[in-house]
């Protein structure tokens, strides 16, 4: 069987970077609860982009990578990715108040029942009704 990814070193480097963030308190994982807490500055730092518009566009990919890191830490593998996962973005300073929660849910869509797609929902905690 041919491997889908030949070089896993970029993933391992990314996971080691997330481990450093976790050790310094910028990222907190709860793999058994399927959620993570990350500071706003740390999320901006791990999201690759050279301008704010591209950073927003690549934010979903960063959230997926944090979910993959949690799956790696949980040792469940591919089955871990089928359940919902929440990433809570918090303020940088104490107390770490919630800013947003991003929930990723894997679903099958009716036009492609044989594949799974990520549905991303953003919950904003700014206190405004809308």
């Amino acid at each position: 069987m041919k491997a889908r990814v030949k070089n896993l070193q970029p993933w391992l480097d990314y996971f080691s970077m997330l481990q450093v963030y976790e050790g310094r308190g910028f990222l907190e994982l709860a793999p058994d609860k399927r959620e993570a807490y990350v500071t706003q500055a740390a999320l901006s730092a791990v999201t690759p982009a050279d301008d704010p518009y591209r950073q927003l566009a690549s934010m979903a990919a960063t959230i997926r990578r944090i979910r993959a890191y949690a799956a790696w830490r949980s040792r469940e593998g591919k089955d871990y990715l089928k359940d919902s996962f929440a990433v809570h973005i918090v303020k940088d300073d104490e107390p770490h108040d919630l800013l947003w929660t991003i929930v990723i849910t894997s679903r099958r869509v009716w036009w492609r029942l044989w594949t799974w797609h990520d549905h991303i929902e953003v919950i904003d905690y700014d206190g405004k009704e809308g």
Side-chain angles (χ1 to χ4, degrees), residues 15-27:
F15 287 172
S16 67
M17 179 185 64
L18 290 178
Q19 280 181 327
V20 169
Y21 275 68
E22 194 175 7
R24 293 186 180 167
F26 301 125
L27 172 67

Side-chain angles (χ1 to χ4, degrees), residues 34-70:
R34 289 179 163 58
E35 62 183 19
Y37 292 86
V38 62
T39 62
Q40 185 178 12
L43 185 64
S44 296
V46 297
T47 303
D50 52 356
D51 65 44
Y53 296 111
R54 288 191 184 150
Q55 189 173 21
L56 241 132
S58 61
M59 187 77 64
T62 300
I63 298 299
R64 287 185 184 105
R65 287 184 193 111
I66 292 173
R67 177 182 63 170
Y69 175 64

Side-chain angles (χ1 to χ4, degrees), residues 47-118:
T47 303
D50 52 356
D51 65 44
Y53 296 111
R54 288 191 184 150
Q55 189 173 21
L56 241 132
S58 61
M59 187 77 64
T62 300
I63 298 299
R64 287 185 184 105
R65 287 184 193 111
I66 292 173
R67 177 182 63 170
Y69 175 64
W72 179 67
R73 289 277 312 275
S74 73
R75 308 279 189 225
E76 287 183 37
K78 203 172 184 180
D79 292 336
Y80 188 89
L81 303 176
K82 291 182 180 177
D83 292 333
S84 296
F85 187 79
V87 177
H88 307 283
I89 293 94
V90 297
K91 290 184 180 179
D92 300 328
D93 300 324
E94 295 282 339
H96 294 293
D97 296 330
L98 282 173
L99 297 172
W100 310 287
T101 296
I102 300 174
V103 180
I104 302 175
T105 307
S106 292
R107 296 182 182 169
R108 293 179 186 221
V109 290
W110 65 270
W111 60 88
R112 280 195 160 169
L113 293 175
W114 58 92
T115 60
W116 292 86
H117 297 277
D118 287 336

